[in-house]
Amino acid sequence: SNALTFTVNNGKLLSLVTNDIVYDKVSQKIFASIRSDSATNPDTITVIDPATGSIGPFVPIGVQPNKLTVSQDGQFLYVGLDGVGAVRRIQIPGLIPGPTFSLGTGTMAGCPTAPLIVDDMEVVPGFPLSVAVARRYTGGCSPWHFGVAVFDDGIQRPAFTPTRPLANIIEFS
């Protein structure tokens, strides 16, 4: 790679206790999931304007918001809620919290039944109501990967990948 020099004007340092951040190219905003242990605005999603450095509003979203993804059309933000093993959809214009859908539970030989959480997720290109989720088993046994499932408007498709091989990071190509 080659060196590149550039100037940053009006730089601003932001201090947020986040689990994940994602950029929406349509609104040109950054969304952040604020951790449950944050001293201010825990269990919320916030908007960061990278042009001005402004933060807010903070939208209460559910217990332990973590992984985030945005639909290509900028219509929806999806938030993994680790505290309840679910995903919540937010309508980006207006930041309107929408439906929440469960990722279910899983079990492995010799291990307890436990909630599944989001390890990674991506909105299906061209289908803003469909999201692929790499699910993570929380029962304390290994391997923790529990397959990739696609949810259409919160309803899981019948077919999903097996728990092995490990496919905990997903990207559409």
Side-chain angles (χ1 to χ4, degrees):
S1 66
N2 296 324
L4 178 64
T5 303
F6 60 93
T7 303
V8 177
N9 294 319
N10 301 320
K12 184 175 182 181
L13 179 64
L14 304 177
S15 179
L16 292 171
V17 182
T18 66
N19 277 326
D20 198 15
I21 61 172
V22 66
Y23 179 73
D24 174 30
K25 64 182 179 184
V26 176
S27 67
Q28 298 182 353
K29 302 288 190 269
I30 297 170
F31 296 94
S33 56
I34 307 300
R35 293 173 29 168
S36 294
D37 61 355
S38 174
T40 57
N41 303 299
D43 294 330
T44 60
I45 297 300
T46 193
V47 182
I48 303 166
D49 185 332
T52 65
S54 66
I55 302 173
F58 290 87
V59 179
I61 199 63
V63 182
Q64 296 177 357
N66 196 347
K67 299 292 184 175
L68 304 172
T69 191
V70 176
S71 61
Q72 284 180 325
D73 63 1
Q75 186 177 359
F76 298 114
L77 171 70
Y78 289 87
V79 183
L81 298 174
D82 289 359
V84 293
V87 172
R88 187 155 196 194
R89 185 174 68 214
I90 300 173
Q91 183 178 319
I92 291 179
L95 295 175
I96 301 166
T100 300
F101 58 91
S102 173
L103 298 178
T105 59
T107 189
M108 295 183 177
C111 299
T113 298
L116 301 175
I117 62 172
V118 175
D119 209 17
D120 191 20
M121 69 180 157
E122 292 292 330
V123 178
V124 177
F127 297 91
L129 294 175
S130 298
V131 62
V133 180
R135 299 169 302 163
R136 182 180 188 138
Y137 172 72
T138 61
C141 294
S142 183
W144 39 261
H145 175 67
F146 213 81
V148 176
V150 177
F151 295 81
D152 299 307
D153 204 16
I155 307 297
Q156 182 178 325
R157 292 181 185 177
F160 52 88
T161 68
T163 58
R164 294 182 188 174
L166 298 179
N168 62 319
I169 297 179
I170 51 177
E171 294 293 328
F172 285 97
S173 61

